[in-house]
Amino acid sequence: TYASGGVGYNWFAKPDQVIEEVLQHKANGFTAFKMRIGSAWGLANMTPRRFGEHLARVRAAMGDDMDLMLDANCRFRSVDEALEICRILEDLGARWFEEPIPWRQPDGVELYNQIRANTTVPISGGEGIHEMDVYHRFAQAQAFDIVQPDASFIGMTNAYRVALMYHRIGRPCIPHSWTNAIAHAANAHLVAAIPNRVMLETQQIFNPMLTELVDNPIPV
């Protein structure tokens, strides 16, 4: 499993909060960490260059024995902007770049493949896709290097089918898992069942739905 966080920091108050967070995850034994791109860039005059400097500090704090992943939550608005971040991630040896731009647009498949064609960083996505035909379209075009369905969004059977679809084209499935303890258990079972499993996302923010919803939440 990997630690999924980097959500609470912001550019206005304490951007280095994410460094403190990743050091705690490392102390807890995690060997991989996924962070987000921070609070609204426009309000803080954030740029790819400044963000790259911040990411470099995070990477240095992690050390070489921990993997770094970045989730943009579809917030970049063009292929060129996404590729600026890709070049930073290449230099830092990132494991993947998640949903750099919105995929739900008429040419989403083509745009994702444009990004993939111009970077060595694996591009992941799929958490928000609920329609099997869309998964098929991205798989046929091989537009995701890593697919990330969520069993609590599309059901166990469809999530399993998505994993097998990508297994057939030689791509791993690393499910999205975020909402609550029951969803996390479902996605853990999914990972255990699929042939192209790698690891599972484990939410690392305060969320009573992870700890109080069931009597025995799954420990890491």
Side-chain angles (χ1 to χ4, degrees), residues 36-96:
R36 276 67 181 177
I37 65 173
S39 49
W41 280 29
L43 295 177
N45 196 28
M46 183 52 55
T47 64
R49 181 190 61 78
R50 286 185 62 202
F51 184 63
E53 293 170 354
H54 179 65
L55 273 181
R57 291 195 296 272
V58 176
R59 174 80 263 181
M62 295 170 69
D64 294 333
D65 56 344
M66 194 173 188
D67 286 326
L68 171 67
M69 297 86 80
L70 181 68
D71 187 351
N73 297 114
C74 300
R75 279 173 55 191
F76 294 112
R77 293 301 162 190
S78 70
V79 168
D80 288 342
E81 191 176 26
L83 287 174
E84 284 189 76
I85 305 300
C86 285
R87 285 187 282 273
I88 294 167
L89 294 175
E90 288 171 354
D91 291 340
L92 298 177
R95 186 156 182 173
W96 74 72

Side-chain angles (χ1 to χ4, degrees), residues 150-152 176-188 213:
D150 190 320
S152 69
H176 171 267
S177 187
W178 191 258
T179 52
N180 60 59
I182 296 171
H184 192 61
N187 284 303
L213 186 64

Side-chain angles (χ1 to χ4, degrees), residues 5-220:
V7 177
Y9 76 103
N10 65 68
W11 302 117
F12 310 105
K14 195 176 181 183
D16 285 348
Q17 179 182 335
V18 72
I19 295 176
E20 298 171 5
E21 179 185 341
V22 74
L23 290 175
Q24 186 61 58
H25 296 325
K26 186 172 185 177
N28 288 339
F30 282 102
T31 59
F33 170 64
K34 184 174 79 181
M35 59 179 283
R36 276 67 181 177
I37 65 173
S39 49
W41 280 29
L43 295 177
N45 196 28
M46 183 52 55
T47 64
R49 181 190 61 78
R50 286 185 62 202
F51 184 63
E53 293 170 354
H54 179 65
L55 273 181
R57 291 195 296 272
V58 176
R59 174 80 263 181
M62 295 170 69
D64 294 333
D65 56 344
M66 194 173 188
D67 286 326
L68 171 67
M69 297 86 80
L70 181 68
D71 187 351
N73 297 114
C74 300
R75 279 173 55 191
F76 294 112
R77 293 301 162 190
S78 70
V79 168
D80 288 342
E81 191 176 26
L83 287 174
E84 284 189 76
I85 305 300
C86 285
R87 285 187 282 273
I88 294 167
L89 294 175
E90 288 171 354
D91 291 340
L92 298 177
R95 186 156 182 173
W96 74 72
F97 186 14
E98 186 168 330
E99 297 198 335
I101 62 174
W103 52 266
R104 194 180 287 278
Q105 46 189 314
D107 54 350
V109 169
E110 291 78 11
L111 295 177
Y112 267 74
N113 268 336
Q114 285 180 38
I115 296 171
R116 289 187 56 253
N118 289 282
T119 185
T120 58
V121 177
I123 302 299
S124 69
E127 70 179 66
I129 299 175
H130 296 177
E131 306 87 1
M132 291 301 288
D133 63 314
V134 178
Y135 277 114
H136 277 291
R137 191 158 70 247
F138 273 83
Q140 287 170 351
Q142 301 193 23
F144 292 143
D145 294 297
I146 301 165
V147 70
Q148 298 168 303
D150 190 320
S152 69
F153 294 170
I154 62 173
M156 292 290 286
T157 301
N158 277 343
Y160 184 74
R161 287 170 176 161
V162 169
L164 294 187
M165 185 190 309
Y166 277 77
H167 178 61
R168 286 192 288 271
I169 61 173
R171 301 285 168 84
C173 176
I174 306 177
H176 171 267
S177 187
W178 191 258
T179 52
N180 60 59
I182 296 171
H184 192 61
N187 284 303
H189 281 283
L190 173 65
V191 169
I194 59 178
N196 51 341
R197 61 183 174 268
V198 180
M199 55 184 172
L200 176 66
E201 179 173 22
T202 299
Q203 183 182 154
Q204 295 293 304
I205 66 170
F206 175 72
N207 180 2
M209 295 291 283
L210 280 174
T211 56
E212 305 302 325
L213 186 64
V214 296
D215 292 330
N216 298 292
I218 298 174
V220 176

